[in-house]
Amino acid sequence: GQQYRCIVKSSNGTSVTSSAAKLTVKAAITKQPANASGAVNTNVKFSVTASGAGTLSYQWQYYDKTTSTWKDSGMTGAKTATLTVPVTAARDGQQYRCIVKANGSSVTSSAAKLTVKAAITKQPANVSGAIDSNVKFSVTASGAGTLSYQWQYYDKASSTWKDSSMTGA
């Protein structure tokens, strides 16, 4: 909002003054949001750092793959510098960005992507069984897309874990 002008003087002593020009400090992103990853039923955070004159305002958006448009988010922190996103399998690959406004100007951050990690939601339990009987181990997991499983057993002789080839491995 500061104004500036210039006075020009000639060698014969006359002067002329320019009209005033105003400096407007625009909003600027000083730290872009980073990609984040998390397991289903956890939260991840996307943050942006910005500068500008006056009060900064924020609006986080997500990319709607269905309509190929950016839409305003209503999640926790959608109007602050940090957005909190609950991780669900459906949000794998979802992109988020922030529009920052200051002093009548706006700037849009780069997009950051959410990656959903696989997670064990129920660990296998110890089992016991008689010789020549069958026992079953089970595990429950969550994540995006199709999950694949590979059971392993601990080989005492080599002190290493090895892939099992038993039924259901």
Side-chain angles (χ1 to χ4, degrees):
Q2 181 68 52
Q3 294 187 49
Y4 296 88
R5 69 181 189 178
C6 185
I7 300 172
V8 179
K9 292 183 182 180
S10 69
S11 60
N12 69 5
T14 62
S15 66
V16 64
T17 303
S18 74
S19 59
K22 183 170 99 174
L23 172 63
T24 301
V25 178
K26 294 182 176 182
I29 304 288
T30 56
K31 185 177 179 190
Q32 297 287 345
N35 293 336
S37 61
V40 172
N41 296 324
T42 64
N43 291 324
V44 297
K45 293 181 186 269
F46 294 99
S47 293
V48 67
T49 304
S51 64
T55 303
L56 299 177
S57 68
Y58 302 87
Q59 178 59 63
W60 283 93
Q61 296 182 321
Y62 66 94
Y63 188 74
D64 186 337
K65 297 175 202 173
T66 307
T67 62
S68 299
T69 58
W70 287 95
K71 293 188 176 179
D72 290 349
S73 173
M75 290 185 218
T76 302
K79 294 190 180 292
T80 70
T82 302
L83 175 71
T84 301
V85 178
V87 179
T88 65
R91 289 195 172 118
D92 186 50
Q94 183 68 59
Q95 295 183 68
Y96 298 88
R97 71 180 187 182
C98 187
I99 298 172
V100 181
K101 293 182 181 178
N103 207 18
S105 69
S106 68
V107 63
T108 303
S109 74
S110 60
K113 186 167 106 176
L114 170 62
T115 300
V116 178
K117 297 191 294 188
I120 303 293
T121 56
K122 184 178 177 191
Q123 296 288 345
N126 294 332
V127 296
S128 59
I131 293 178
D132 293 329
S133 68
N134 292 320
V135 296
K136 289 184 181 184
F137 292 95
S138 65
V139 66
T140 305
S142 65
T146 302
L147 300 176
S148 63
Y149 299 82
Q150 175 61 60
W151 284 93
Q152 295 184 319
Y153 66 94
Y154 187 74
D155 182 11
K156 292 179 188 176
S158 65
S159 297
T160 60
W161 286 94
K162 294 187 175 181
D163 289 349
S164 173
S165 58
M166 295 181 197
T167 303

